[in-house]
């Protein structure tokens, strides 16, 4: 569908910006020594997105965006050890989706769209 194609065309730029900002903001420290992000993390995000059967599963831009957010959380967010870093990362993902794609769904709207 055209809306899915429009989101997919922006996905590389959004993911690169997410990676760059995360890498600059969340630097490793003695307590956060595992905060090392590299290009392999980008490939993990896209590998997770590509594992989905796109023709049957991704029927709208909302589904693709949620899949992308899930994969970013799996790769980046799951490493974060405190709530402040997690909240910063969630806000960054929402800001990027809003700025680049115009998506500003709340969790309640997404559940409604998914029929949950």
């Amino acid at each position: 569908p055209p809306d899915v194609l429009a989101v997919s065309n922006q996905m590389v730029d959004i993911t690169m910006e997410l990676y760059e900002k995360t890498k600059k903001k969340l630097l490793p420290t003695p307590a956060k020594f595992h905060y090392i992000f590299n290009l392999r993390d980008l490939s993990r995000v896209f590998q997770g997105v590509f594992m989905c059967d796109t023709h049957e599963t991704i029927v709208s831009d909302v589904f693709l965006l949620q899949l992308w957010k899930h994969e970013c959380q799996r790769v980046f967010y799951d490493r974060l050890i405190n709530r402040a870093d997690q909240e910063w990362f969630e806000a960054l993902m929402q800001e990027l989706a809003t700025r680049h794609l115009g998506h500003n769904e709340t969790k309640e709207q997404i559940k409604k769209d998914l029929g949950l």
Side-chain angles (χ1 to χ4, degrees):
D3 55 343
V4 173
L5 186 59
V7 170
S8 66
N9 288 334
Q10 295 284 326
M11 198 159 292
V12 173
D13 295 334
I14 295 170
T15 309
M16 283 298 297
E17 188 173 344
L18 179 77
Y19 164 73
E20 289 294 330
K21 288 185 177 186
T22 301
K23 187 176 175 181
K24 287 179 184 173
K25 170 77 174 166
L26 302 176
L27 298 171
T29 64
K32 302 174 186 178
F33 61 91
H34 59 283
Y35 279 22
I36 299 172
F37 304 102
N38 57 42
L39 291 175
R40 188 172 293 158
D41 297 322
L42 289 176
S43 70
R44 288 185 184 123
V45 170
F46 288 107
Q47 183 180 16
V49 171
F50 290 144
M51 289 181 74
C52 178
D53 185 13
T54 57
H55 297 297
E56 295 175 9
T57 307
I58 302 176
V59 294
S60 75
D61 57 341
V62 173
F63 284 86
L64 180 58
L65 186 61
Q66 288 305 305
L67 177 60
W68 172 78
K69 284 182 177 180
H70 170 76
E71 292 301 324
C72 289
Q73 288 176 332
R74 183 182 64 82
V75 172
F76 296 107
Y77 180 91
D78 285 352
R79 289 191 207 170
L80 307 180
I81 62 170
N82 63 31
R83 192 66 195 140
D85 292 344
Q86 292 170 343
E87 288 174 354
W88 177 85
F89 187 81
E90 289 172 346
L92 177 62
M93 280 197 314
Q94 186 63 40
E95 186 264 327
L96 290 173
T98 302
R99 185 164 38 94
H100 286 278
L101 303 170
H103 285 269
N104 195 15
E105 288 91 5
T106 62
K107 289 182 180 181
E108 292 78 24
Q109 289 171 322
I110 293 166
K111 287 180 180 180
K112 183 180 175 187
D113 289 342
L114 297 176
L116 300 175

